[in-house]
Amino acid sequence: MVIAHFCTAVRAVVRDWMGAQSEPQIREALENPVALGAQLLPVIQAKLSAAGATTLAEVLEHAWTAPALHLRSVFEPGALPPTPEDFTPVPVCPGTAVAMVTAIAALAALNSATISYGSENDGHLFVNLVVIPGEGDIPQKSTRGMQGHTDGVSFPLRGYRDPDDARIAPSPDFVGLCCLRNPEGVPTTVMPLSAVLEEMPAHLVQELREPNYVIGSQRTFEEGMIEILGDELTLDEARLLFRVGDAEWIRFSHRTTDPVDKESSAQKAMDAFQDACRNCVQDIALSPGDIVLVNNRIALHGRSPVGTAYGGETRWLLRTYGLDTTELAAEQRYLGSPFKLFP
Ligand SMILES: O=C(O)CCC(=O)C(=O)O
Ligand SMILES: [Fe+2]
């Protein structure tokens, strides 16, 4: 119920705000999501107090205990152009604008700035998750299912620094997915970390805390990393599981995480972890107008296979990231952008 009330408040606040702006004003506001979030946050707060059904503290509590917040029908996509065939650009239309403003507003309510990384898709704040036609790794991957992973896996967790390059910003706290089309009902999946760890023997959980893993960059970051850092960002002595306050936080990607020694218990722990992930999959069926905010610390996420059809009225999500940026250093940002983080 907490989330339904939150959803109602966000929808109403964004609808009122959009109604009072011209299209150029909306486009300009989307250039500065920090300012837009700061403007909408107190209005959401006031809306929640007026309704009296829940508070932002309760919403936050939920966001940091549940694997994801599913905001149902939180915006109206309206008439849309055909589904794009690449990550960028996001077509300019009322449906994409309201999706983006709503995601920024909902993330701001979770104390998260809406951010991007310069090394992924040229630092665009929102990208299309669609089937990309053509040959090669990225088009192929765009059609497939995805096993449990966290996004931005080679970046440090918030509160930590990269061991070799302090400029590297943390991975996101939240992955925001806005559903514009999903005619086949292809589910996005989440796996609560607490449930995954409960499935594993304690000594193998312990292994995940040891610096015995190598982590490479995810596909969408590879090109940008080489351009900006001169090389792909690879961690040689990485841990996967971290105790943070009372919680456990994870980073993991099936394709880019490996044990340093394939004959070791680090490998056994990773195998057990992946098995456990498969046993803990929860489907989130996204409908047009829904937004899901996946917790990228206390949950893994993935999706079912999408299929090869592209363009037209095929599946179309917009993706962005949320991060609590209050502790970020100036060197972890780009000068001149309010939202783009290094690298
Ligand atoms: O398509 C989805 O539902 C999720 C995609 C995803 O997790 C990703 O692109 O990293
Ligand atoms: Fe992802």
Side-chain angles (χ1 to χ4, degrees):
M1 275 319 267
V2 169
I3 299 315
H5 293 303
F6 174 58
C7 192
T8 303
V10 171
R11 180 174 38 224
V13 166
V14 172
R15 193 190 44 217
D16 291 351
W17 183 84
M18 299 276 294
Q21 315 292 314
S22 67
E23 279 188 26
Q25 282 174 321
I26 294 170
R27 273 202 295 280
E28 199 186 313
L30 284 168
E31 303 280 310
N32 194 336
V34 179
L36 178 58
Q39 188 187 346
L40 295 178
L41 175 59
V43 193
I44 295 172
Q45 233 154 356
K47 195 63 116 189
L48 286 174
S49 327
T54 189
T55 61
L56 276 188
E58 282 183 330
V59 175
L60 258 181
E61 162 83 25
H62 203 278
W64 282 97
T65 46
L69 296 191
H70 184 181
L71 309 178
R72 292 169 205 269
S73 301
V74 69
F75 70 95
E76 269 187 49
L80 292 169
T83 293
E85 298 175 16
D86 208 343
F87 286 112
T88 60
V90 171
V92 176
C93 69
T96 57
V98 69
M100 295 190 282
V101 172
T102 309
I104 290 166
L107 284 169
L110 302 185
N111 293 333
S112 293
T114 304
I115 54 125
S116 71
Y117 300 93
S119 49
E120 190 183 34
N121 300 311
D122 291 325
H124 283 264
L125 188 61
F126 287 84
V127 299
N128 306 301
L129 294 187
V130 294
V131 171
I132 300 170
E135 306 290 314
D137 224 30
I138 288 196
Q140 269 183 21
K141 202 165 171 254
S142 74
T143 67
R144 292 193 188 137
M146 291 184 188
Q147 301 192 42
H149 65 276
T150 57
D151 279 4
V153 69
S154 57
F155 299 152
L157 298 191
R158 175 162 54 79
Y160 292 80
R161 286 293 185 96
D162 181 274
D164 299 316
D165 189 343
R167 297 171 303 168
I168 310 286
S171 53
D173 290 320
F174 293 99
V175 179
L177 301 172
C178 313
C179 181
L180 295 169
R181 290 193 174 110
N182 192 14
E184 311 284 337
V186 173
T188 298
T189 57
V190 292
M191 291 132 260
L193 178 62
S194 55
V196 173
L197 297 181
E198 260 172 44
E199 294 249 329
M200 292 176 61
H203 71 284
L204 292 183
V205 171
Q206 204 51 37
E207 277 297 327
L208 301 175
R209 301 183 201 280
E210 302 296 330
N212 293 333
Y213 296 91
V214 179
I215 304 180
S217 303
Q218 277 147 327
R219 191 73 191 88
T220 47
F221 287 91
E222 271 174 26
E223 217 174 280
M225 298 274 212
I226 289 166
E227 212 166 280
I228 294 162
L229 299 173
D231 203 353
E232 205 189 307
L233 180 67
T234 307
L235 304 170
D236 294 326
E237 295 177 332
R239 305 191 275 149
L240 304 184
L241 184 65
F242 299 73
R243 181 117 204 134
V244 178
D246 290 337
E248 304 281 8
W249 285 11
I250 188 73
R251 64 172 176 208
F252 182 74
S253 158
H254 165 69
R255 196 184 68 84
T256 71
T257 306
D258 283 301
V260 173
D261 173 2
K262 292 208 188 320
E263 304 297 317
S264 65
S265 38
Q267 173 79 64
K268 284 196 190 75
M270 214 181 90
D271 293 343
F273 180 75
Q274 282 186 278
D275 286 343
C277 276
R278 278 188 278 272
N279 292 337
C280 296
V281 173
Q282 299 175 4
D283 283 355
I284 300 184
L286 289 177
S287 298
D290 290 3
I291 291 181
V292 65
L293 303 174
V294 178
N295 191 311
N296 199 46
R297 308 291 183 207
I298 61 165
L300 300 107
H301 68 277
R303 70 163 178 233
S304 291
V306 180
T308 53
Y310 61 86
E313 305 215 329
T314 59
R315 187 175 193 261
W316 181 10
L317 309 183
L318 297 181
R319 188 199 58 210
T320 193
Y321 300 127
L323 177 69
D324 177 347
T325 54
T326 44
E327 310 270 291
L328 233 61
E331 63 180 347
Q332 295 178 301
R333 298 174 171 278
Y334 285 91
L335 281 174
S337 169
F339 59 80
K340 201 165 74 173
L341 306 186
F342 192 84

